[in-house]
Amino acid sequence: MKKLLFGIAILLLLGYGWNELKSAGSEENKVVVREGTAAAWEGAESEKPGAGRQMMLEIDPGEIYKGDLLLINSRHPVPKGAKLPDVVNLFERPELAEGIGILDDSVELPPELLSRFVEMIKAAETDGVDRFLITSGYRSVEKQAELYDKMGADYANPPGHSEHNLGLALDVGSALGLMKEAPEGKWLERNAWKYGFVLRYPENKTEITGVKHEPWHFRYVGLPHSAIMQKMDFVLEEYVDYLKEQGQIQAKVDGTAYVVSYYAVKGKRSLSIPIAGSYFLSGNNMDGVIVTTWGSDASGAKEAGPL
């Protein structure tokens, strides 16, 4: 669920203007963790960023199972009754991915995810990296079952437990060879986070994700989440757990201040959020929602040294 306040949220969500974080230790490369939980902030209205200018947001339990930060893995399946994404067949609409190779006529992607990916690839082209292939996008549960039977649990999640089943991820290849060695793979590993994408299954996180290293599998989580995950070396499992533990974190990315808050949801509830900035909301597919705010009322993040 995404909301737009004062006409800027869509541009921010797409990452326009966020081409890079500043170098480590600079004033713009800060991730700040404030002690206390989201519940504590609710009880301390005067201390919230933007206190005095709040709006009430009504949260339904169904919101737990919607959004860009859903954790989908072998333990947390695609939500029952989840709305399947609208997708386009890239073989039939090659103009939507101009300059990018398509593996075969089965590759489908949600238009919004495709647009974000194309923006990122255009940036790679300016660095002389331009031999990308899209090898897989949205997959039906049936297709996932075929892949699982063929590849096994080390390289594929069970049907109904894959990010591909909701169109949240895509597999990327290179015409120059294996992604682990190709310039395309190395560029994405270094830069994808700047555009809201993360390498979902890094080589050093197999024990956490349950999936072996996949240098081709990229997941969209959006900014500032991709930047925080990159800085703190988190995969999505670690990130959603960290948000639950901390309750709220404040981050400054390329000069924009964000407040990221976790709220447990057991029934309908009301949340108070700033009105002078922008916000978007995502469930975690477990037990709560993550609210991200930014703008003038989300600028309460205090500067601190790198974590």
Side-chain angles (χ1 to χ4, degrees):
M1 169 182 171
K2 301 181 180 70
K3 299 291 184 179
L4 175 62
L5 302 177
F6 299 120
I8 64 172
I10 294 299
L11 292 178
L12 290 172
L13 284 172
L14 291 176
Y16 293 150
W18 298 337
N19 288 333
E20 60 182 355
L21 283 178
K22 305 301 182 181
S23 59
S26 76
E27 287 303 304
E28 302 300 339
N29 189 18
K30 311 296 181 182
V31 176
V32 183
V33 177
R34 179 187 175 112
E35 294 181 359
T37 64
W41 278 77
E42 288 187 274
E45 188 76 21
S46 63
E47 295 185 16
K48 287 184 182 179
R53 292 190 290 173
Q54 306 287 309
M55 68 174 288
M56 299 306 295
L57 180 64
E58 300 297 325
I59 301 296
D60 183 274
E63 299 295 341
I64 294 173
Y65 308 107
K66 303 174 184 177
D68 290 333
L69 294 174
L70 295 182
L71 177 62
I72 307 291
N73 58 25
S74 60
R75 299 181 302 278
H76 298 96
V78 171
K80 291 182 179 179
K83 181 181 178 182
L84 298 180
D86 294 327
V87 296
V88 294
N89 184 293
L90 302 190
F91 193 79
E92 297 174 356
R93 297 290 305 279
E95 74 278 5
L96 297 179
E98 187 175 357
I100 303 173
I102 308 300
L103 180 64
D104 56 38
D105 61 3
S106 70
V107 178
E108 298 177 320
L109 279 176
E112 189 174 11
L113 181 65
L114 175 60
S115 176
R116 289 163 171 160
F117 179 74
V118 169
E119 178 196 5
M120 179 169 64
I121 296 312
K122 288 181 178 178
E125 290 175 352
T126 65
D127 290 339
V129 182
D130 59 2
R131 303 298 297 276
F132 290 95
L133 302 172
I134 300 177
T135 62
S136 184
Y138 166 74
R139 293 190 204 121
S140 67
V141 173
E142 292 75 18
K143 285 185 179 180
Q144 186 69 26
E146 293 176 8
L147 183 66
Y148 184 74
D149 290 341
K150 179 180 179 180
M151 302 298 294
D154 285 343
Y155 287 98
N157 279 320
H161 291 258
S162 170
E163 297 173 332
H164 288 283
N165 298 153
L166 278 181
L168 295 172
L170 74 166
D171 292 345
V172 186
S174 168
L176 299 179
L178 298 175
M179 282 292 279
K180 188 175 182 178
E181 303 168 355
E184 287 71 21
K186 293 178 179 178
W187 190 95
L188 287 177
E189 189 169 0
R190 291 192 307 268
N191 297 287
W193 63 269
K194 301 173 186 178
Y195 303 89
F197 288 86
V198 294
L199 178 63
R200 184 66 178 90
Y201 303 119
E203 193 167 15
N204 63 336
K205 300 286 185 174
T206 296
E207 291 186 3
I208 297 171
T209 64
V211 178
K212 289 187 177 180
H213 181 39
E214 292 190 359
W216 56 83
H217 183 110
F218 287 85
R219 162 72 186 267
Y220 183 81
V221 295
L223 286 163
H225 309 290
S226 58
I228 299 171
M229 291 171 67
Q230 173 77 12
K231 182 179 180 65
M232 303 187 76
D233 191 28
F234 281 162
V235 288
L236 190 55
E237 285 84 356
E238 294 173 300
Y239 184 53
V240 295
D241 282 347
Y242 183 73
L243 290 176
K244 287 178 63 176
E245 175 188 331
Q246 297 295 329
Q248 185 171 87
I249 64 173
Q250 300 178 40
K252 198 169 186 180
V253 179
D254 203 20
T256 299
Y258 301 88
V259 177
V260 183
S261 306
Y262 162 82
Y263 298 90
V265 177
K266 297 180 179 179
K268 289 186 177 181
R269 66 173 299 181
S270 298
L271 304 179
S272 180
I273 66 169
I275 62 171
S278 303
Y279 76 93
F280 65 89
L281 180 149
S282 174
N284 64 5
N285 197 33
M286 294 185 292
D287 52 16
V289 297
I290 298 162
V291 180
T292 305
T293 61
W294 69 93
S296 59
D297 272 1
S299 59
K302 298 178 181 179
E303 295 294 335
L307 294 177

